[in-house]
Amino acid sequence: MVPKRHLWIALALTVSAAPVKAETIQVTIDKLVFSPATVEAKVGDTIEWVNMDVFAHTATVKGGWEVTIPPKKSASLTLQKAETVDYFCRFHPNMKGRLVVAP
Ligand SMILES: [Cu+2]
């Protein structure tokens, strides 16, 4: 018989080694506000911006990427690297959001 304690260790290893499934995280844009303003995600996850407004917005990183979200549409981006990025809307610079991307 295998001692019970060893079974527990085997179980813990199995759980921690399970692959993490990539997620799609929605950020709603409504009345010029990104919500939630800060999102914690992992590399491989997809951020989907859902624009409820009747005009276009962007999610723009200074010196980095830009995603345009047309009115009443959505647009998405798959996160490629671990970093914390602040983004804003090119058309409405008061609109701000942050992505905290873990490896
Ligand atoms: Cu905007």
Side-chain angles (χ1 to χ4, degrees), residues 12-89:
L13 286 175
T14 305
V15 170
S16 64
V20 181
K21 211 175 131 238
E23 285 185 68
T24 296
I25 299 163
Q26 283 195 342
V27 176
T28 301
I29 305 169
D30 194 12
K31 300 183 183 72
L32 304 163
V33 175
F34 291 113
S35 176
T38 299
V39 167
E40 291 185 16
K42 292 196 160 173
V43 170
D45 286 351
T46 297
I47 304 296
E48 182 182 29
W49 287 272
V50 181
N51 186 358
M52 313 292 278
D53 287 336
V54 293
F55 28 81
H57 294 292
T58 71
T60 303
V61 175
K62 213 174 208 170
W65 45 260
E66 177 169 83
V67 175
T68 301
I69 313 105
K72 298 286 179 186
K73 293 244 159 67
S74 62
S76 54
L77 173 80
T78 300
L79 302 167
Q80 308 286 359
K81 60 176 178 170
E83 60 184 350
T84 295
V85 286
D86 290 307
Y87 65 90
F88 60 95
C89 172

Side-chain angles (χ1 to χ4, degrees), residues 56-57 89 91-92 95:
H57 294 292
C89 172
F91 309 126
H92 314 100
M95 292 175 63

